[in-house]
Amino acid sequence: HLSHESVGDREMQDLLIQLLRADLKVISHYAYQPEEPLEIPIVAFHGRDDASVSQAQVEDWYQETTDSFQFVS
């Protein structure tokens, strides 16, 4: 949890900016590579008003597990 005081700290801001830039770099260069399904349950959530990801795309996560899959919308 970040407090209002710590976010106002310049050193903390610099750290958070570095973390966000690293995350954005990973996201912008990510390419899905098919692998063996995981042996864990997956619960996939989809927002009814989410225009960036279709319900079908979220439902496709069932392919990523050999265990149970639950879709929540």
Side-chain angles (χ1 to χ4, degrees), residues 22-61:
D23 286 350
L24 291 172
K25 183 177 180 181
V26 168
I27 291 169
S28 68
H29 292 87
Y30 175 78
Y32 175 75
Q33 298 294 322
E35 294 186 23
E36 291 296 314
L38 302 170
E39 297 177 2
I40 60 170
I42 293 179
V43 178
F45 295 87
H46 182 257
R48 291 184 187 118
D49 297 328
D50 190 344
S52 63
V53 178
S54 72
Q55 180 173 332
Q57 288 173 303
V58 177
E59 289 173 339
D60 280 347
W61 275 87

Side-chain angles (χ1 to χ4, degrees), residues 5-35:
E5 292 79 22
S6 65
V7 174
D9 178 61
R10 183 66 184 172
E11 186 176 348
M12 180 61 77
Q13 289 175 359
D14 290 341
L15 175 64
L16 292 172
I17 288 171
Q18 289 176 22
L19 292 172
L20 289 170
R21 284 184 178 149
D23 286 350
L24 291 172
K25 183 177 180 181
V26 168
I27 291 169
S28 68
H29 292 87
Y30 175 78
Y32 175 75
Q33 298 294 322
E35 294 186 23

